[in-house]
Amino acid sequence: MNFSYLVLFIICLVAIGILLFNIVVAYRIQYVGFRQILIGLFTFSMLRYFTLIIYGDSPSLSQLESLKYLYNTTSIGLTIPTALVIWYITPHLRQKLSYITYLLYFSPWILFNAFIIISQPTEIVIAPNFGYVVRFVGEYNNYISHVQTTFVVIIILLCLVGIISYKNPILQSQYALILFGQVVLAFDGLRIVKGIETRLLNPFTVTEIIAFVAIYYALKEKPFDLKG
């Protein structure tokens, strides 16, 4: 087995494990619809890592074509939960807005990423080290970069406001870890835009794990109702 593929295989198993932990902790949430959305998105995100494992091996052409729709499921399966956990841990947002109303503010990003997953402006190419990868064609890398940058900036700003506004150390650490997850994802995206290749780590694998760990940490504690 190719060493780089073994590393990818282990990373994908870790990601799937983290998502399983996220599903378990999501079952404890009292908001039924909120809980169901998270569980559905975490399950949807798992499909990306199963797809990466298959793409890294020796898949058939039919497998490549059918699974390409699952290659980037975390574009929705990570971004929406990230936005939702900000609502979940922020007392003022929970008091002022329902999670559905709050989520509507993120509908441009949700619709864009849904369009990308459905329309698949992509091509399947042989990876430089092993297996295959799905790449966006034309200017779509730039479009996606701009859209995701605005999302990251908004999440970082919300986290900074939370850190400043709430003095509870656990709450501040939750915001800080979410913020860190977005920063490392941004650097991963910058690496793709600049065409920087790494033979050992696939883009948006380890960084997505960090972001999902941040979500887990935000969900595992009972949300605070009072300003600390």
Side-chain angles (χ1 to χ4, degrees):
M1 180 185 291
N2 183 293
F3 178 72
S4 295
Y5 177 67
L6 177 61
V7 171
L8 173 66
F9 187 84
I10 293 171
I11 289 172
C12 289
L13 289 183
V14 171
I16 292 167
I18 295 297
L19 284 165
L20 287 173
F21 276 112
N22 281 2
I23 289 172
V24 170
V25 78
Y27 269 109
R28 305 173 188 169
I29 297 172
Q30 62 176 331
Y31 308 103
V32 177
F34 183 90
R35 179 174 69 231
Q36 291 174 341
I37 291 172
L38 286 180
I39 291 172
L41 289 171
F42 292 149
T43 304
F44 188 51
S45 295
M46 280 188 200
L47 299 176
R48 163 170 164 77
Y49 302 105
F50 288 117
T51 300
L52 288 178
I53 290 172
I54 294 172
Y55 260 67
D57 198 7
S58 302
S60 65
L61 180 60
S62 61
Q63 286 176 317
L64 288 172
E65 287 295 334
S66 60
L67 291 175
K68 71 177 182 179
Y69 292 92
L70 306 177
Y71 196 90
N72 292 299
T73 56
T74 47
S75 62
I76 283 181
L78 176 57
T79 54
I80 297 177
T82 298
L84 282 175
V85 294
I86 297 291
W87 174 88
Y88 183 70
I89 66 175
T90 306
H92 282 87
L93 287 177
R94 292 200 314 275
Q95 291 171 3
K96 300 292 184 181
L97 299 171
S98 71
Y99 65 87
I100 294 296
T101 302
Y102 166 81
L103 204 55
L104 288 175
Y105 287 102
F106 291 92
S107 56
W109 292 272
I110 296 171
L111 292 173
F112 176 82
N113 286 319
F115 167 77
I116 292 298
I117 289 175
I118 294 169
S119 63
Q120 283 296 308
T122 59
E123 60 180 354
I124 301 169
V125 299
I126 298 175
N129 199 17
F130 62 93
Y132 297 83
V133 294
V134 173
R135 289 181 178 169
F136 293 103
V137 298
E139 291 297 311
Y140 276 94
N141 262 331
N142 290 328
Y143 300 154
I144 293 167
S145 174
H146 294 324
V147 170
Q148 290 304 112
T149 297
T150 58
F151 176 83
V152 167
V153 168
I154 289 171
I155 295 299
I156 288 176
L157 289 175
L158 288 172
C159 288
L160 289 174
V161 170
I163 291 171
I164 294 169
S165 301
Y166 303 101
K167 303 308 179 184
N168 184 285
I170 294 178
L171 189 52
Q172 288 179 326
S173 65
Q174 289 172 329
Y175 286 121
L177 189 53
I178 294 170
L179 188 156
F180 177 69
Q182 294 304 301
V183 170
V184 294
L185 284 168
F187 276 110
D188 228 355
L190 182 63
R191 181 163 66 88
I192 291 177
V193 171
K194 297 297 183 181
I196 302 172
E197 298 280 353
T198 58
R199 296 179 66 84
L200 190 59
L201 296 178
N202 281 38
F204 298 115
T205 49
V206 174
T207 50
E208 285 182 348
I209 289 174
I210 294 171
F212 279 122
V213 169
I215 291 172
Y216 171 80
Y217 182 58
L219 293 176
K220 79 180 186 70
E221 301 289 343
K222 183 179 178 181
F224 292 94
D225 292 324
L226 299 175
K227 185 174 180 180

